[in-house]
Amino acid sequence: MATPKQMLEQQQSQMQRVKTSGIGSHGSPPKEDREEDMSRSVLAMFRAKEEEIQRKKMEVRDKVHAQLGRAEEATKRLADIREELEALTDPMRREVALVRKRIDVVNKELKPLGQSCQKKEREYKEALEVFNEKSREKSQLVSKLMELVGESEKLRLRKLEELSKNVDTLK
């Protein structure tokens, strides 16, 4: 498409041709009228083209502004979405980090407690073993004592009976 300046130059050259073609004739007024009509029509055509160019230019400008508006709106929406995304992940990271730190602390506390438990468990088993051993020994000793006490009673009863017979024989 030609620029307005180029179109004006074309129209002026057309008018020049029309004028030069009219010089060869006898300079009659009807030709001048025709030349004037032609210049008017060329001028009207130029104005119409210029108006059409301006109208199209305004349409393109409006489209560009609309596109820019949509692009700005989309940019704002994307920025909002990014902010929401960052806000969403940021507290989760902090919470996860806090929980991990707490797990590490608890692990450090558990290790000596586990060792202490194992040590006390061994001590308990050893003490239980000694206790059971002593309980068996006590049971055996109690049985032996019962046996000895029973035997002693029998012996004393026999001795008493003997002594009682001896006393009876002395009478």
Side-chain angles (χ1 to χ4, degrees):
M1 185 177 273
T3 65
K5 188 176 180 181
Q6 290 172 334
M7 290 177 66
L8 181 63
E9 288 172 358
Q10 286 175 354
Q11 289 171 353
Q12 285 175 347
S13 69
Q14 282 178 349
M15 285 178 56
Q16 193 66 23
R17 275 187 249 132
V18 169
K19 282 183 183 178
T20 52
S21 64
I23 292 175
S25 62
H26 298 285
S28 62
K31 281 188 180 182
E32 285 179 11
D33 285 343
R34 270 191 263 146
E35 284 178 16
E36 198 174 304
D37 286 343
M38 275 179 87
S39 351
R40 281 189 196 139
S41 69
V42 167
L43 243 144
M45 187 171 56
F46 172 74
R47 283 189 188 125
K49 293 274 186 191
E50 191 64 34
E51 286 174 7
E52 183 181 343
I53 289 171
Q54 283 295 92
R55 184 179 49 77
K56 286 184 179 182
K57 184 178 174 182
M58 293 301 283
E59 286 175 10
V60 169
R61 184 182 302 149
D62 289 344
K63 286 179 183 179
V64 166
H65 282 296
Q67 280 289 74
L68 284 174
R70 285 193 292 271
E72 286 175 10
E73 200 173 294
T75 302
K76 286 178 186 176
R77 276 189 268 142
L78 285 172
D80 291 342
I81 290 170
R82 183 174 26 129
E83 285 177 19
E84 285 180 39
L85 184 63
E86 287 174 3
L88 179 70
T89 57
D90 198 26
M92 290 174 65
R93 267 191 256 158
R94 282 190 218 126
E95 287 176 22
V96 166
L98 287 173
V99 170
R100 284 184 176 158
K101 284 180 184 177
R102 186 71 183 129
I103 288 171
D104 289 341
V105 168
V106 170
N107 269 341
K108 288 178 183 174
E109 292 171 357
L110 273 176
K111 188 175 181 180
L113 289 173
Q115 290 171 343
S116 176
C117 262
Q118 288 175 348
K119 180 181 176 187
K120 290 184 182 196
E121 203 171 66
R122 280 192 304 270
E123 289 173 358
Y124 168 76
K125 286 179 182 177
E126 289 170 4
L128 184 62
E129 209 173 292
V130 170
F131 174 79
N132 288 335
E133 215 174 284
K134 292 295 178 185
S135 290
R136 282 191 296 272
E137 187 179 343
K138 178 185 170 188
S139 290
Q140 291 170 351
L141 290 172
V142 167
S143 294
K144 181 106 175 153
L145 177 66
M146 297 285 283
E147 206 177 293
L148 289 172
V149 167
E151 237 177 272
S152 174
E153 281 177 2
K154 286 181 191 174
L155 285 174
R156 283 187 335 192
L157 277 175
R158 265 189 242 149
K159 194 76 167 161
L160 274 175
E161 281 177 21
E162 268 179 45
L163 286 174
S164 176
K165 281 183 189 178
N166 285 340
V167 169
D168 281 339
T169 48
L170 289 172
K171 281 191 181 167

Short mmCIF file of all heavy atoms in Angstrom, two decimals, residues 78-104:
data_model
loop_
_atom_site.label_atom_id
_atom_site.label_comp_id
_atom_site.label_asym_id
_atom_site.label_seq_id
_atom_site.Cartn_x
_atom_site.Cartn_y
_atom_site.Cartn_z
N LEU A 78 -1.11 -13.87 36.00
CA LEU A 78 0.03 -14.77 36.22
C LEU A 78 0.83 -14.36 37.45
O LEU A 78 1.28 -15.22 38.21
CB LEU A 78 0.95 -14.77 34.98
CG LEU A 78 0.43 -15.54 33.77
CD1 LEU A 78 1.33 -15.31 32.57
CD2 LEU A 78 0.32 -17.02 34.09
N ALA A 79 1.01 -13.07 37.66
CA ALA A 79 1.73 -12.60 38.86
C ALA A 79 0.96 -13.00 40.12
O ALA A 79 1.56 -13.45 41.11
CB ALA A 79 1.91 -11.09 38.80
N ASP A 80 -0.37 -12.85 40.09
CA ASP A 80 -1.19 -13.26 41.25
C ASP A 80 -1.07 -14.74 41.50
O ASP A 80 -0.91 -15.18 42.64
CB ASP A 80 -2.68 -12.89 41.01
CG ASP A 80 -2.91 -11.39 41.05
OD1 ASP A 80 -2.04 -10.66 41.57
OD2 ASP A 80 -3.98 -10.94 40.56
N ILE A 81 -1.11 -15.53 40.43
CA ILE A 81 -1.00 -16.99 40.56
C ILE A 81 0.36 -17.36 41.13
O ILE A 81 0.47 -18.20 42.01
CB ILE A 81 -1.25 -17.68 39.20
CG1 ILE A 81 -2.72 -17.55 38.82
CG2 ILE A 81 -0.82 -19.13 39.23
CD1 ILE A 81 -3.03 -17.97 37.39
N ARG A 82 1.42 -16.68 40.64
CA ARG A 82 2.76 -16.97 41.15
C ARG A 82 2.86 -16.63 42.63
O ARG A 82 3.42 -17.39 43.41
CB ARG A 82 3.80 -16.18 40.36
CG ARG A 82 5.22 -16.49 40.80
CD ARG A 82 6.27 -15.83 39.93
NE ARG A 82 5.78 -14.64 39.28
CZ ARG A 82 6.40 -13.47 39.31
NH1 ARG A 82 7.52 -13.34 39.93
NH2 ARG A 82 5.91 -12.43 38.70
N GLU A 83 2.29 -15.48 43.03
CA GLU A 83 2.31 -15.10 44.45
C GLU A 83 1.56 -16.14 45.30
O GLU A 83 2.03 -16.52 46.37
CB GLU A 83 1.67 -13.72 44.64
CG GLU A 83 2.56 -12.58 44.19
CD GLU A 83 1.87 -11.23 44.33
OE1 GLU A 83 0.88 -11.14 45.08
OE2 GLU A 83 2.32 -10.28 43.67
N GLU A 84 0.40 -16.57 44.82
CA GLU A 84 -0.36 -17.59 45.55
C GLU A 84 0.44 -18.87 45.66
O GLU A 84 0.46 -19.52 46.72
CB GLU A 84 -1.70 -17.86 44.85
CG GLU A 84 -2.72 -16.78 45.03
CD GLU A 84 -4.03 -17.10 44.32
OE1 GLU A 84 -4.44 -18.27 44.34
OE2 GLU A 84 -4.61 -16.16 43.75
N LEU A 85 1.11 -19.26 44.59
CA LEU A 85 1.91 -20.48 44.58
C LEU A 85 3.06 -20.37 45.58
O LEU A 85 3.30 -21.30 46.34
CB LEU A 85 2.44 -20.75 43.17
CG LEU A 85 3.22 -22.04 42.97
CD1 LEU A 85 2.32 -23.24 43.25
CD2 LEU A 85 3.75 -22.11 41.56
N GLU A 86 3.75 -19.25 45.57
CA GLU A 86 4.85 -19.06 46.52
C GLU A 86 4.33 -19.06 47.95
O GLU A 86 4.95 -19.63 48.83
CB GLU A 86 5.59 -17.75 46.21
CG GLU A 86 6.45 -17.83 44.97
CD GLU A 86 7.07 -16.50 44.58
OE1 GLU A 86 6.87 -15.51 45.32
OE2 GLU A 86 7.76 -16.47 43.55
N ALA A 87 3.21 -18.40 48.18
CA ALA A 87 2.63 -18.37 49.53
C ALA A 87 2.19 -19.76 49.95
O ALA A 87 2.29 -20.13 51.12
CB ALA A 87 1.45 -17.40 49.57
N LEU A 88 1.73 -20.54 48.99
CA LEU A 88 1.26 -21.89 49.30
C LEU A 88 2.41 -22.80 49.67
O LEU A 88 2.35 -23.54 50.64
CB LEU A 88 0.51 -22.46 48.09
CG LEU A 88 -0.03 -23.87 48.22
CD1 LEU A 88 -1.19 -23.89 49.19
CD2 LEU A 88 -0.48 -24.38 46.87
N THR A 89 3.50 -22.76 48.93
CA THR A 89 4.60 -23.68 49.20
C THR A 89 5.47 -23.23 50.36
O THR A 89 6.05 -24.04 51.04
CB THR A 89 5.50 -23.85 47.95
OG1 THR A 89 5.99 -22.58 47.56
CG2 THR A 89 4.75 -24.52 46.82
N ASP A 90 5.57 -21.89 50.59
CA ASP A 90 6.47 -21.39 51.61
C ASP A 90 6.13 -21.88 53.01
O ASP A 90 7.00 -22.40 53.70
CB ASP A 90 6.50 -19.85 51.55
CG ASP A 90 7.70 -19.28 52.25
OD1 ASP A 90 8.73 -19.98 52.35
OD2 ASP A 90 7.60 -18.13 52.71
N PRO A 91 4.86 -21.80 53.49
CA PRO A 91 4.57 -22.30 54.84
C PRO A 91 4.79 -23.81 54.93
O PRO A 91 5.21 -24.31 55.97
CB PRO A 91 3.09 -21.98 55.05
CG PRO A 91 2.72 -21.00 54.02
CD PRO A 91 3.72 -21.15 52.89
N MET A 92 4.53 -24.52 53.87
CA MET A 92 4.72 -25.97 53.91
C MET A 92 6.20 -26.30 54.09
O MET A 92 6.53 -27.20 54.85
CB MET A 92 4.18 -26.61 52.63
CG MET A 92 2.67 -26.57 52.54
SD MET A 92 2.05 -27.17 50.97
CE MET A 92 2.55 -28.86 51.02
N ARG A 93 7.06 -25.54 53.42
CA ARG A 93 8.49 -25.79 53.58
C ARG A 93 8.92 -25.54 55.00
O ARG A 93 9.70 -26.29 55.56
CB ARG A 93 9.30 -24.90 52.62
CG ARG A 93 9.59 -25.60 51.31
CD ARG A 93 10.59 -24.81 50.52
NE ARG A 93 9.81 -24.14 49.47
CZ ARG A 93 10.19 -23.07 48.83
NH1 ARG A 93 11.31 -22.50 49.09
NH2 ARG A 93 9.44 -22.55 47.91
N ARG A 94 8.41 -24.45 55.58
CA ARG A 94 8.77 -24.13 56.96
C ARG A 94 8.29 -25.23 57.90
O ARG A 94 9.02 -25.66 58.80
CB ARG A 94 8.17 -22.79 57.37
CG ARG A 94 8.94 -21.62 56.83
CD ARG A 94 8.46 -20.32 57.45
NE ARG A 94 8.48 -19.31 56.42
CZ ARG A 94 7.47 -18.55 56.08
NH1 ARG A 94 6.34 -18.63 56.73
NH2 ARG A 94 7.57 -17.68 55.11
N GLU A 95 7.05 -25.65 57.73
CA GLU A 95 6.49 -26.69 58.60
C GLU A 95 7.28 -27.99 58.46
O GLU A 95 7.59 -28.64 59.46
CB GLU A 95 5.02 -26.94 58.25
CG GLU A 95 4.11 -25.82 58.70
CD GLU A 95 2.68 -26.03 58.26
OE1 GLU A 95 2.29 -27.19 57.99
OE2 GLU A 95 1.95 -25.03 58.20
N VAL A 96 7.61 -28.35 57.23
CA VAL A 96 8.37 -29.58 57.00
C VAL A 96 9.74 -29.47 57.66
O VAL A 96 10.20 -30.42 58.31
CB VAL A 96 8.51 -29.86 55.48
CG1 VAL A 96 9.55 -30.91 55.19
CG2 VAL A 96 7.17 -30.27 54.89
N ALA A 97 10.37 -28.31 57.52
CA ALA A 97 11.69 -28.12 58.14
C ALA A 97 11.59 -28.21 59.66
O ALA A 97 12.44 -28.85 60.31
CB ALA A 97 12.27 -26.76 57.73
N LEU A 98 10.53 -27.62 60.22
CA LEU A 98 10.35 -27.69 61.68
C LEU A 98 10.14 -29.13 62.14
O LEU A 98 10.72 -29.57 63.14
CB LEU A 98 9.15 -26.84 62.11
CG LEU A 98 9.37 -25.32 62.05
CD1 LEU A 98 8.06 -24.59 62.35
CD2 LEU A 98 10.43 -24.89 63.04
N VAL A 99 9.33 -29.87 61.41
CA VAL A 99 9.06 -31.27 61.78
C VAL A 99 10.34 -32.08 61.66
O VAL A 99 10.65 -32.91 62.53
CB VAL A 99 7.93 -31.87 60.90
CG1 VAL A 99 7.81 -33.35 61.08
CG2 VAL A 99 6.60 -31.19 61.22
N ARG A 100 11.13 -31.86 60.61
CA ARG A 100 12.38 -32.60 60.44
C ARG A 100 13.35 -32.29 61.58
O ARG A 100 14.00 -33.20 62.10
CB ARG A 100 13.04 -32.26 59.10
CG ARG A 100 12.36 -32.93 57.94
CD ARG A 100 13.07 -32.66 56.64
NE ARG A 100 12.43 -33.39 55.56
CZ ARG A 100 12.52 -33.07 54.30
NH1 ARG A 100 13.24 -32.04 53.94
NH2 ARG A 100 11.90 -33.78 53.38
N LYS A 101 13.43 -31.01 61.96
CA LYS A 101 14.31 -30.65 63.07
C LYS A 101 13.84 -31.33 64.36
O LYS A 101 14.65 -31.84 65.12
CB LYS A 101 14.32 -29.13 63.27
CG LYS A 101 15.15 -28.40 62.25
CD LYS A 101 15.14 -26.90 62.48
CE LYS A 101 15.90 -26.18 61.39
NZ LYS A 101 15.83 -24.71 61.57
N ARG A 102 12.54 -31.34 64.57
CA ARG A 102 12.00 -31.97 65.78
C ARG A 102 12.30 -33.48 65.77
O ARG A 102 12.63 -34.06 66.81
CB ARG A 102 10.48 -31.73 65.85
CG ARG A 102 9.84 -32.21 67.11
CD ARG A 102 10.25 -31.36 68.30
NE ARG A 102 9.67 -31.93 69.49
CZ ARG A 102 10.33 -32.21 70.59
NH1 ARG A 102 11.60 -31.91 70.68
NH2 ARG A 102 9.75 -32.75 71.62
N ILE A 103 12.20 -34.10 64.60
CA ILE A 103 12.52 -35.54 64.48
C ILE A 103 13.98 -35.77 64.83
O ILE A 103 14.31 -36.72 65.55
CB ILE A 103 12.20 -36.05 63.05
CG1 ILE A 103 10.69 -36.14 62.85
CG2 ILE A 103 12.84 -37.41 62.79
CD1 ILE A 103 10.25 -36.43 61.42
N ASP A 104 14.86 -34.90 64.34
CA ASP A 104 16.29 -35.04 64.66
C ASP A 104 16.53 -34.92 66.16
O ASP A 104 17.30 -35.70 66.74
CB ASP A 104 17.12 -33.97 63.92
CG ASP A 104 17.20 -34.23 62.42
OD1 ASP A 104 16.93 -35.38 62.00
OD2 ASP A 104 17.53 -33.28 61.66
#
